[in-house]
Amino acid sequence: MRFPENVEYGDIVKGLPIEPESCDGVYCSHVLEHLPLDGFRAALKNTYAVLRHGGTFRLVLPDLEYLAKQYVSSPSNDAALVFMRETFLGHEGRARSLKGFIASWLGNSQHLWMWDYKSIEPELERAGFVGIRRAFLGDSPDSRFREVENEERWGNSLGVECWKPGEHRTHYLREVDLKFDEVKAA
């Protein structure tokens, strides 16, 4: 089974059937790279809309910077082939039958836009998110994200966590900062 039974499907580009400002958190794993740039921006806008003030958006996707460094540092004559396969940017063949064309068109297996931290951060800022930071498997202050995170999907990937501005989150951050200062002083 690809996803747990409790996963609900929807189209984040068109907008999910979720009330605005009704979610404390949104988790997105290896989805955004399958969208063209305009679809990606619509997905960010729609994600922002469903989050409550102070709600967290956590995402993981392939890390273009990591993949590019692997490509550049590889001495192999096949480095470009490996890069294209690992990024899902290339096509090794073309579907010639109607059935093959439809499967290719509807399959969503190709990556349409790749991201690294320095390129995704300003996109998240433009969408209104704040507190944007690199995230790592299991490091969210909200333990509910650990229930859905999968180590396999985080390997050599880019994780990001941010939130929709709001009083609830500001209060939480002050609490965390205060606790950190107490630990530092001890």
Side-chain angles (χ1 to χ4, degrees):
M1 190 164 50
R2 188 169 179 188
F3 298 106
E5 289 180 21
N6 63 342
V7 169
E8 294 184 34
Y9 295 86
D11 187 335
I12 192 61
V13 175
K14 291 180 182 176
L16 297 173
I18 298 173
E19 290 295 317
E21 298 186 3
S22 63
C23 297
D24 290 323
V26 173
Y27 181 71
C28 183
S29 175
H30 292 273
V31 171
L32 299 173
E33 70 274 12
H34 294 276
L35 302 176
L37 182 59
D38 61 347
F40 168 83
R41 289 176 172 158
L44 292 186
K45 178 183 172 197
N46 291 333
T47 300
Y48 188 88
V50 300
L51 282 171
R52 288 188 175 110
H53 291 284
T56 303
F57 180 34
R58 190 165 168 88
L59 60 108
V60 61
L61 59 152
D63 187 349
L64 178 60
E65 181 180 6
Y66 170 81
L67 293 165
K69 285 179 179 178
Q70 293 297 110
Y71 164 68
V72 169
S73 66
S74 174
S76 172
N77 291 338
D78 290 335
L81 292 172
V82 171
F83 177 81
M84 295 302 285
R85 285 182 183 131
E86 288 184 2
T87 60
F88 295 99
L89 292 173
H91 297 270
E92 292 191 49
R94 181 176 293 243
R96 300 283 180 205
S97 69
L98 180 60
K99 182 179 175 182
F101 171 76
I102 291 171
S104 170
W105 182 55
L106 296 175
N108 271 341
S109 60
Q110 292 300 120
H111 290 171
L112 301 179
W113 204 273
M114 298 293 289
W115 298 96
D116 60 7
Y117 184 77
K118 69 182 175 186
S119 63
I120 205 167
E121 181 183 32
E123 293 287 338
L124 291 164
E125 285 175 350
R126 276 192 285 281
F129 292 100
V130 297
I132 302 162
R133 69 170 184 88
R134 278 187 184 270
F136 299 93
L137 177 67
D139 76 344
S140 180
D142 186 337
S143 63
R144 292 174 291 184
F145 287 112
R146 288 190 278 289
E147 295 174 21
V148 294
E149 289 183 350
N150 177 316
E151 185 174 351
E152 182 179 301
R153 298 179 71 78
W154 280 75
N156 302 324
S157 293
L158 171 62
V160 179
E161 186 171 271
C162 54
W163 64 86
K164 183 174 182 173
E167 197 170 308
H168 173 71
R169 173 56 82 161
T170 303
H171 174 71
Y172 172 76
L173 285 177
R174 283 190 200 127
E175 245 178 66
V176 170
D177 290 342
L178 178 62
K179 287 179 183 173
F180 178 72
D181 289 341
E182 288 170 2
V183 170
K184 208 166 58 171

